[in-house]
Amino acid sequence: MSLQTRLFLQFILIGLLPLVIVFLLILFTTQQQFIDRSLASIEGIADIQEEHLNSILDDYITSSRLVGSRTQMRIELDNYLNTSSTQSLEKVDIILTQAIASGTSIESISLYDIQNSLIYSSDSAVAEMVDEDILRSARDQHRLGKVFKDEQNLIKIDTYGPIYNEQGEIIATSRIVSSASPLLKITDDYTGLGETGEILLVQKNASADAVVINPLRFDTGASLQRAIFSSQIEKPTIVAISGTETILKDGKSFDYRGEPVYAVTRYIDSADWGLVVKVDVLEVDSYSDQITTIFSLAFLLTLLAVFAVSFLIAGRISKPITGMINQTEKIANGAFSDEVSNESEIKELAALSDSINRMSRELGGLYEGLDRKVKDRTRSIELEKAKVESILSYVGDGLILLDAKGNVSFINNSATKILGITDHLIQEDFRKVLNFSKIDSDETLLSEDIDRIYLSKSKKRKVVQRKSYLSLSGRKKVACVFTVSDYFVKNKREGVIIIFRDITEELRIDKVKSEFVSLASHQLRTPLSVIRWFSELLISGDSGELNQKQKLYVENIYKSNLRMLDLVNSLLNVARIEANNFIVNPEYVLVREVIDAVISGFKTELDKRGIAIEIQGSDESKIFIDRDIMRVIIENLLSNAIKYSYEKGKIDIIIEEDKKNIYINIRDYGLGIPAKQQSRIFEKLFRADNASEHDTDGNGLGLYIIKGIIEQIDGEIKFSSKEGDGTTFIVRLSKDGIKKKEGSKKII
Amino acid sequence: MIYRVLVIEDEEPLQVAIQEKLENEDFEVTVVDNALDALDAVKNEVFNVIWLDHYLRGRHDGLFFVNSVKKLGLFPTPMLLVSNTADTQKVQEYKDAGVAEAYIKNETSIDEVVQKLTLLKNNEKNTHS
């Protein structure tokens, strides 16, 4: 539902409900008031007319009094009654004729004696129509008689009154007939009574409960003709004649026509008449209906006005908002140029429109700047990306990028060259498509290492370097050396980089080398063995005794042959160490045991040269090491110490240990190493000058070999020396750090 | 009693040296220089001990010979490996196949090996007498 519709409906709802209530209230009160007013106006008319009637009736009675009080007339009449003097009667006639002439409405005067016999009448036609009951009742006072019709059907009213003689005795009763027109003037006056209003005068009647005196608006012949009975539904007249003055406003009273009427009843005491002023309910209601119609029209107009105003206001409120919505929509779509109208009459909306326009302009500016920056940035990123991609694509090493989940996201050309077709790998889980298998059986499977990297919660970069076979399904295994590392962006692991290089050729060369060493060891040693054994045969006299000289020569051959064997063995050791291809088969070894064994090997020489060896330190020191390696190290160092000691010299061997390491110190007090040459003593084939002079046996390989071995098993060798004072070598070996290692050759 | 030694050695000078030394010590010596001849020899004759080198003439080495002998069920003739190989893995393979002792030629004097054979010979004598 749109804002305008919603506002419109809300306004309507808010406006309509009170409007309806107010209208209904006003309508009902107005209708009621109108009826009340109508009734009040009828009542007013009734009161005024009642007063009029009373005053007219008073006039009639006054006229009767005036006639009866004429002294001359009374004297003459008294005289006539006593004397029957016609003269007196004539005088009475003259006086009464004068009275008729002077009175406004008196039409005739009749006089009756106390026996009710007619004495005199100015109109003999009327004289007979006398009511003797009234005549009798009028002896005490003047009173109204009856309304009646004469021969010409004119409505008359008569008044009766006593006539006294000079002595105050009643002598006669007068009957004055007057025109009823003053009365009828009142009842004919419908002013203020609308179209249906009427005034009814009723008097009592012997044959009926009441009879209508005046001609009626809707029944002009009703005068003295229409009789009304209390049994009839015509209530108001009956109420009036019964002397009740009231307002009949329930709408359930009916008039002579049977119409429902509102009526006001009055009782005219002096004449014993009833007065009814009435108006048709229909007429009053028709006015009230008109009011209802007018109100309804007004209501409809107001409603229309409310609709229109609601519509306009809703429009005024919603239009700028709709405008702003459109504008923000445009802003959202990146169009900042248009402006929304800020001409709303609602201050806040205008201010809001202004704000939106300002925001739009500023956003527009920002957007333009941003757009330019983004474009620049995008271009430099694209350049950078192109650079990186071309580097990655053509770099010699194979490269596979895995995303944060382990799916392959990039493979470079070198990887494709190494592995074969790799197109199908993109977006695949590396666990499914990259098959790793071990080269070194000791190592863990590379795929498991990569999985460990993914499982690690550490934010530190992890690097695994490993030789491993890699194959894609259906393709042959390729031996590679891998560097696998995860990479982070803002502390979040974004993936893993696998860099690898095909080492098939290297492995092949290693194998060839190893085979060469193996072959060389055999081929070189075989002739040496032949020389050795034949020398032995000769020396031992197996083929006859040799003379002294011959024996000396053969012994020299034999010794040189042993040196040659030693040299060959050293060279083979060098080859193995350089290829890192020697067996390590560690076990717990008592350091002292190895040292003792080596010393006993040198026993002949030590005895010959009178060199003493002193050993200090624990007999219990143990180390987890390959026994042969340990032997080679001690043998080399002790051999040097003996070689470079003076005759009858001394050698100290000190074994020390701490928690992790064993330290073997071998100290001689011999030649020492010239300071200048100390830095070179671990070089291959290097011999210090004084050493070469002293002894021609050395081959310059011993220290090179043991340093190589010691470093490859995570140990350390140091020395201190002073020419002439001797040399101390210190070997540090980890007690338990040495690992088993497969290789093809043993160190000899 | 005659104590028969089969010497399997491809190096001619060594064949001569070994043969001379052993005959001086009263062994009856048969010398072959390849694994197939050696197999023929053990199939046809009975030897008290076999002197064996690793590298032999021809395609097959000493290990082939030892394994073939094992397959043929000709053990328990004692065998001594006298070779120039320092490869402990290889040596282990020989020992696994049933070779009793392994000597490295250039670390061992010929006397040492001959003494071992003499020891074996004397032991046999004692058990027979």
Side-chain angles (χ1 to χ4, degrees):
Chain A
M1 195 185 281
S2 77
L3 179 66
Q4 183 163 10
T5 319
R6 185 177 279 269
L7 282 172
F8 175 66
L9 288 177
Q10 279 178 355
F11 284 136
I12 293 290
L13 268 179
I14 292 164
L16 205 58
L17 202 67
L19 190 71
V20 169
I21 292 169
V22 166
F23 263 97
L24 287 177
L25 271 173
I26 293 174
L27 184 63
F28 286 127
T29 44
T30 311
Q31 276 183 337
Q32 200 53 52
Q33 271 186 3
F34 184 80
I35 290 167
D36 289 348
R37 288 243 175 112
S38 299
L39 288 171
S41 125
I42 293 169
E43 201 178 10
I45 290 169
D47 287 340
I48 291 164
Q49 302 302 45
E50 183 188 14
E51 225 167 276
H52 275 182
L53 277 173
N54 279 326
S55 103
I56 289 166
L57 291 175
D58 281 350
D59 286 351
Y60 283 125
I61 295 205
T62 307
S63 297
S64 175
R65 281 214 180 94
L66 283 170
V67 169
S69 64
R70 285 179 179 258
T71 314
Q72 198 59 40
M73 188 276 294
R74 283 192 291 135
I75 294 164
E76 292 302 328
L77 183 62
D78 194 36
N79 191 44
Y80 166 70
L81 286 172
N82 292 330
T83 63
S84 299
S85 154
T86 50
Q87 209 179 349
S88 292
L89 195 60
E90 279 168 12
K91 279 182 182 166
V92 168
D93 181 45
I94 288 164
I95 291 163
L96 292 180
T97 305
Q98 275 178 345
I100 291 166
S102 66
T104 48
S105 57
I106 297 173
E107 290 182 348
S108 70
I109 301 171
S110 305
L111 298 172
Y112 301 86
D113 64 12
I114 49 174
Q115 280 81 40
N116 291 349
S117 302
L118 183 67
I119 304 166
Y120 163 81
S121 179
S122 62
D123 183 353
S124 56
V126 182
E128 297 302 316
M129 301 166 70
V130 68
D131 190 326
E132 289 191 20
D133 286 343
I134 298 171
L135 266 181
R136 262 190 297 277
S137 71
R139 284 177 190 160
D140 303 326
Q141 58 175 353
H142 292 274
R143 58 159 286 179
L144 288 168
K146 291 239 186 240
V147 177
F148 62 94
K149 281 184 181 165
D150 65 3
E151 293 87 35
Q152 284 91 45
N153 237 359
L154 294 172
I155 298 164
K156 310 289 179 191
I157 183 165
D158 52 3
T159 348
Y160 298 81
I163 298 170
Y164 302 98
N165 61 9
E166 286 299 297
Q167 290 77 39
E169 293 164 344
I170 185 160
I171 53 173
T173 310
S174 67
R175 176 179 176 236
I176 300 169
V177 173
S178 304
S179 164
S181 59
L183 284 177
L184 300 181
K185 221 181 256 171
I186 288 167
T187 56
D188 283 349
D189 182 3
Y190 303 128
T191 312
L193 290 176
E195 299 298 319
T196 60
E198 281 182 299
I199 300 171
L200 275 85
L201 266 177
V202 287
Q203 62 181 2
K204 287 182 178 156
N205 185 286
S207 55
D209 292 311
V211 70
V212 178
I213 295 169
N214 57 318
L216 298 174
R217 200 169 187 174
F218 305 107
D219 184 7
T220 44
S223 179
L224 300 176
Q225 294 294 314
R226 179 170 283 279
I228 297 155
F229 302 92
S230 58
S231 59
Q232 287 179 325
I233 56 162
E234 190 190 351
K235 263 262 186 62
T237 44
I238 302 297
V239 171
I241 202 88
S242 73
T244 309
E245 297 195 338
T246 186
I247 303 167
L248 300 166
K249 56 177 175 184
D250 57 359
K252 285 173 185 167
S253 302
F254 299 88
D255 70 353
Y256 59 94
R257 295 167 298 156
E259 290 292 327
V261 291
Y262 295 116
V264 176
T265 61
R266 288 291 181 266
Y267 179 66
I268 312 296
D269 196 24
S270 56
D272 190 20
W273 290 349
L275 173 71
V276 174
V277 180
K278 66 164 181 73
V279 172
D280 280 7
V281 168
L282 276 176
E283 187 178 358
V284 175
D285 283 358
S286 83
Y287 288 127
S288 114
D289 282 349
Q290 276 178 29
I291 289 167
T292 309
T293 310
I294 289 164
F295 265 88
S296 301
L297 271 174
F299 176 76
L300 278 174
L301 281 173
T302 317
L303 198 64
L304 275 176
V306 168
F307 267 63
V309 167
S310 300
F311 188 77
L312 280 174
I313 291 175
R316 275 199 189 157
I317 292 174
S318 67
K319 195 184 160 197
I321 289 175
T322 312
M324 285 186 264
I325 288 168
N326 291 337
Q327 178 66 4
T328 47
E329 195 73 25
K330 281 181 193 167
I331 292 171
N333 289 330
F336 303 103
S337 53
D338 291 355
E339 296 225 331
V340 67
S341 160
N342 57 355
E343 284 166 9
S344 172
E345 289 158 16
I346 300 162
K347 226 165 70 184
E348 287 83 352
L349 286 180
L352 187 56
S353 301
D354 275 338
S355 296
I356 284 180
N357 287 335
R358 208 172 62 236
M359 185 180 81
S360 167
R361 281 194 296 276
E362 278 175 18
L363 272 179
L366 281 175
Y367 186 81
E368 224 170 275
L370 197 65
D371 200 37
R372 208 169 41 242
K373 270 187 202 162
V374 165
K375 275 179 188 157
D376 289 352
R377 210 42 211 279
T378 308
R379 192 175 146 60
S380 68
I381 286 170
E382 275 168 357
L383 272 173
E384 203 58 35
K385 200 179 160 201
K387 243 195 265 175
V388 168
E389 267 179 10
S390 67
I391 290 169
L392 291 183
S393 294
Y394 297 104
V395 78
D397 284 357
L399 189 139
I400 296 176
L401 284 184
L402 305 180
D403 66 14
K405 285 179 183 165
N407 295 331
V408 177
S409 61
F410 176 80
I411 299 174
N412 75 347
N413 289 352
S414 300
T416 309
K417 262 184 213 158
I418 294 167
L419 299 173
I421 298 157
T422 51
D423 297 346
H424 62 291
L425 300 184
I426 294 292
Q427 293 307 321
E428 292 288 337
D429 189 338
F430 85 93
R431 297 162 189 95
K432 288 181 190 154
V433 292
L434 304 180
N435 307 314
F436 291 97
S437 53
K438 294 177 188 177
I439 290 179
D440 268 340
S441 56
D442 285 352
E443 303 275 18
T444 46
L445 206 56
L446 189 58
S447 51
E448 289 168 6
D449 287 324
I450 300 174
D451 259 338
R452 261 192 287 282
I453 290 176
Y454 272 109
L455 290 173
S456 162
K457 296 217 165 75
S458 158
K459 307 274 187 216
K460 264 192 184 166
R461 191 164 181 232
K462 287 158 287 298
V463 180
V464 175
Q465 282 179 310
R466 173 74 39 81
K467 283 178 190 168
S468 170
Y469 288 113
L470 174 58
S471 63
L472 308 180
S473 57
R475 294 190 166 267
K476 66 169 189 179
K477 294 200 278 189
V478 185
C480 296
V481 59
F482 289 87
T483 302
V484 178
S485 157
D486 47 356
Y487 63 99
F488 292 84
V489 176
K490 288 183 180 165
N491 271 337
K492 186 173 175 273
R493 184 185 294 112
E494 290 295 338
V496 164
I497 305 172
I498 302 173
I499 298 168
F500 56 101
R501 182 165 51 81
D502 187 349
I503 54 164
T504 309
E505 187 58 19
E506 285 167 37
L507 288 184
R508 195 186 65 78
I509 290 168
D510 278 352
K511 202 180 166 207
V512 167
K513 261 194 205 165
S514 156
E515 276 168 2
F516 169 78
V517 170
S518 189
L519 200 67
S521 89
H522 182 259
Q523 299 294 29
L524 284 171
R525 284 184 206 167
T526 302
L528 293 174
S529 303
V530 173
I531 295 167
R532 176 175 180 162
W533 286 3
F534 276 104
S535 309
E536 278 176 18
L537 284 179
L538 283 173
I539 291 165
S540 68
D542 278 295
S543 43
E545 285 294 319
L546 301 180
N547 65 34
Q548 207 61 29
K549 218 173 196 177
Q550 285 167 330
K551 204 173 180 180
L552 183 70
Y553 292 168
V554 177
E555 272 171 3
N556 281 338
I557 293 169
Y558 179 75
K559 275 184 202 162
S560 294
N561 184 54
L562 284 186
R563 267 182 63 200
M564 188 67 187
L565 268 171
D566 200 35
L567 182 64
V568 168
N569 285 341
S570 292
L571 283 171
L572 289 172
N573 277 344
V574 168
R576 281 160 197 161
I577 288 158
E578 285 179 351
N580 190 15
N581 182 20
F582 58 92
I583 299 166
V584 177
N585 197 5
E587 57 184 311
Y588 279 103
V589 172
L590 279 168
V591 177
R592 184 63 193 262
E593 205 175 273
V594 178
I595 290 171
D596 286 344
V598 172
I599 290 171
S600 73
F602 285 113
K603 196 173 182 311
T604 322
E605 199 173 350
L606 289 168
D607 289 349
K608 209 172 107 190
R609 295 183 60 205
I611 295 168
I613 294 179
E614 195 179 309
I615 305 173
Q616 296 169 31
S618 169
D619 290 357
E620 310 294 319
S621 293
K622 261 188 203 169
I623 182 167
F624 192 68
I625 200 168
D626 184 298
R627 189 179 285 275
D628 285 330
I629 286 175
M630 184 75 182
R631 178 184 54 76
V632 168
I633 293 167
I634 305 289
E635 213 168 58
N636 266 284
L637 291 174
L638 195 59
S639 154
N640 281 347
I642 295 167
K643 213 183 279 175
Y644 302 118
S645 283
Y646 299 115
E647 297 284 317
K648 313 219 182 303
K650 185 193 165 209
I651 294 168
D652 292 328
I653 299 177
I654 305 161
I655 306 161
E656 291 172 323
E657 65 179 308
D658 59 20
K659 264 189 182 171
K660 287 184 178 171
N661 297 297
I662 299 267
Y663 301 88
I664 301 162
N665 301 258
I666 297 177
R667 167 151 176 64
D668 70 65
Y669 298 90
L671 297 179
I673 306 161
K676 275 189 187 172
Q677 293 179 328
Q678 285 185 3
S679 61
R680 298 184 59 196
I681 64 161
F682 291 113
E683 283 178 16
K684 186 155 62 173
L685 297 171
F686 175 79
R687 297 200 71 204
D689 294 342
N690 56 350
S692 314
E693 283 166 21
H694 177 80
D695 173 68
T696 49
D697 267 8
N699 57 28
L701 289 172
L703 288 176
Y704 174 76
I705 290 166
I706 61 169
K707 186 171 163 62
I709 295 171
I710 289 167
E711 283 178 355
Q712 284 190 30
I713 60 172
D714 296 327
E716 194 181 11
I717 180 163
K718 289 195 291 193
F719 72 96
S720 61
S721 180
K722 197 177 170 192
E723 200 172 356
D725 274 359
T727 307
T728 305
F729 276 93
I730 304 166
V731 177
R732 177 184 64 75
L733 294 169
S734 169
K735 273 184 191 172
D736 50 13
I738 194 164
K739 264 194 230 159
K740 187 176 166 70
K741 185 162 155 297
E742 299 282 339
S744 59
K745 299 295 172 201
K746 239 176 129 54
I747 293 290
I748 304 162
Chain B
M1 121 167 219
I2 299 160
Y3 199 78
R4 296 176 60 95
V5 182
L6 176 62
V7 175
I8 311 170
E9 169 63 63
D10 62 330
E11 190 71 20
E12 270 180 59
L14 284 181
Q15 286 174 1
V16 173
I18 295 164
Q19 191 163 14
E20 184 165 346
K21 185 78 183 172
L22 288 177
E23 278 170 1
N24 282 347
E25 300 290 329
D26 287 338
F27 290 95
E28 193 177 314
V29 182
T30 305
V31 178
V32 292
D33 66 357
N34 67 79
L36 296 177
D37 284 352
L39 272 178
D40 280 344
V42 294
K43 277 185 219 163
N44 297 326
E45 297 171 59
V46 176
F47 294 96
N48 296 93
V49 67
I50 297 170
W51 174 308
L52 176 68
D53 191 8
H54 173 58
Y55 284 105
L56 299 174
R57 202 174 295 278
R59 279 201 298 136
H60 303 293
D61 60 11
L63 198 57
F64 169 80
F65 170 77
V66 175
N67 285 325
S68 302
V69 167
K70 201 176 170 185
K71 271 184 211 157
L72 289 169
L74 291 176
F75 273 113
T77 311
M79 297 196 205
L80 302 180
L81 178 70
V82 185
S83 77
N84 258 326
T85 182
D87 186 333
T88 47
Q89 246 174 313
K90 270 279 147 57
V91 171
Q92 194 57 47
E93 283 176 55
Y94 274 96
K95 288 195 168 166
D96 291 344
V99 169
E101 298 275 348
Y103 299 94
I104 295 170
K105 285 172 187 165
N106 53 36
E107 287 177 9
T108 318
S109 69
I110 193 165
D111 272 342
E112 279 178 60
V113 188
V114 172
Q115 275 165 25
K116 176 73 184 175
L117 286 181
T118 308
L119 196 70
L120 286 171
K121 186 168 105 179
N122 292 336
N123 283 348
E124 191 135 328
K125 259 187 195 163
N126 295 337
T127 47
H128 280 82
S129 57

